[in-house]
Amino acid sequence: KPQSAQALREAKRLLKLESSEPQAPDRQQVVLHLTAAPENTKDSQKALKVLDALQVSVLGLGIGSVKVEHLMKISSPGLAFKVDADELEDFLQDAFREVEEILKASHTGDPEEILRRLEGA
């Protein structure tokens, strides 16, 4: 069952708790909203407005049957994307493999090796 509105409200609650702490002026808060099914957007749009008022960007990432037009209604302007599930899985596997390699290099203590791996990522 789609739970976009509930998820966005929870993000708002968590970000409000964090907002009591001093923020770095160059820090941008972003909520990554993954969804795989179209749903009623009314509640999601309300939550999006509150997050926008808190200066939080919502990046919508649709997987499966979700249309970009739907994502645009529940995401910050310009931050609605649709991806193929297989491509996303491949991307995530590659990303985690690269993170593991960089972490291994960081244990060697060789700054040149770490920099080389970061530049190659």
Side-chain angles (χ1 to χ4, degrees):
K1 178 181 173 185
Q3 300 290 324
S4 291
Q6 181 180 347
L8 291 173
R9 282 193 295 273
E10 179 64 11
K12 174 189 72 171
R13 185 187 70 76
L14 293 171
L15 291 167
K16 278 187 175 180
L17 288 175
E18 188 178 288
S19 69
S20 63
E21 300 172 9
Q23 297 285 328
D26 60 343
R27 183 174 171 204
Q28 173 64 45
Q29 293 179 313
V30 177
V31 171
L32 177 58
H33 177 213
L34 296 169
T35 185
E39 57 187 271
N40 183 335
T41 59
K42 214 173 219 181
D43 285 341
S44 298
Q45 288 173 324
K46 288 178 188 175
L48 175 64
K49 284 182 182 182
V50 173
L51 289 170
D52 186 51
L54 293 171
Q55 298 181 330
V56 176
S57 297
V58 177
L59 188 151
L61 187 59
I63 304 165
S65 63
V66 178
K67 295 184 179 181
V68 174
E69 293 78 19
H70 170 76
L71 290 169
M72 291 170 67
K73 294 177 183 176
I74 59 173
S75 304
S76 297
L79 295 178
F81 305 94
K82 182 176 177 181
V83 296
D84 177 71
D86 291 334
E87 290 175 6
L88 179 61
E89 182 179 356
D90 292 344
F91 170 79
L92 291 173
Q93 286 177 349
D94 289 345
F96 281 109
R97 188 172 21 260
E98 288 177 18
V99 168
E100 282 182 15
E101 290 175 7
I102 292 169
L103 287 173
K104 285 179 188 175
S106 71
H107 292 298
T108 68
D110 180 11
E112 291 299 320
E113 176 65 14
I114 296 167
L115 183 59
R116 186 179 63 75
R117 288 185 184 255
L118 287 171
E119 288 174 340

